[in-house]
Amino acid sequence: MSDHWLAHLQAAHLAAQAAADSGHHPFGALLIGPDQTTVLAAQGNVDAVNHAEAVLLRHAAARWDRDTLWASTLVTTVEPCAMCAGTQYWAHVGRVVYGLSEAQLRAITGNHDENPTLDLPCRDVFARGQKAVEVIGPLPEHHALHQAIAHCHQQFWAR
């Protein structure tokens, strides 16, 4: 995994921490442009139906053309849920990079009323589509960042 994806994942983690500090669920996402360097947009979680990824992707679909979006990358702290993966698919963003898997999140949150995690990996959602969305993650090879994302969730969901 290249260092630039890890740097972007760190920035997404900062967005997640800011969301948690504001009382929102600790998820963060970035849209990285076709050059794989430029941050086009950043978003923290809003609420249980306005996830960081879905909000970011809806705004992106209204702002950028399909070719730009297909060459862009969604970087998110946790694997996109079914709703967010579907939004990514329809927004025409061609790649996702994420930190924790949905299964790892579920191990942390359990059966929390505010996060009834679906056992549906984004790869399975994308596999049902007609275009090949590239999936990179989870990224446990950067142990410190992986642990920081997990710790943020452990603290938040234990409240």
Side-chain angles (χ1 to χ4, degrees), residues 27-138:
F27 299 94
L30 303 178
L31 183 65
I32 308 303
D35 65 0
Q36 298 185 0
T37 302
T38 305
V39 177
L40 299 177
Q43 181 69 50
N45 214 64
V46 178
D47 58 36
V49 295
N50 290 293
H51 296 180
E53 302 90 341
V55 171
L56 181 147
L57 291 162
R58 286 185 194 109
H59 289 295
R63 182 167 181 191
W64 288 284
D65 64 86
R66 290 173 52 89
D67 290 338
T68 298
L69 291 172
W70 187 250
S72 295
T73 303
L74 174 66
V75 176
T76 182
T77 53
V78 177
E79 179 177 8
C81 70
M83 175 179 68
C84 293
T87 305
Q88 178 178 351
Y89 180 84
W90 290 108
H92 202 64
V93 174
R95 179 185 304 111
V96 62
V97 174
Y98 64 87
L100 295 181
S101 71
E102 190 81 357
Q104 291 167 318
L105 177 65
R106 185 176 183 158
I108 293 169
T109 63
N111 191 22
H112 198 287
D113 286 346
E114 292 182 36
N115 195 53
T117 304
L118 291 168
D119 184 14
L120 184 57
C122 69
R123 283 176 173 85
D124 292 354
V125 174
F126 296 137
R128 304 285 193 282
Q130 297 180 33
K131 46 191 172 183
V133 175
E134 182 182 1
V135 178
I136 302 170

Side-chain angles (χ1 to χ4, degrees), residues 142-155:
H142 193 279
H143 185 71
L145 179 54
H146 192 262
Q147 289 300 103
I149 294 169
H151 182 70
C152 183
H153 280 276
Q154 290 162 343
Q155 286 187 314

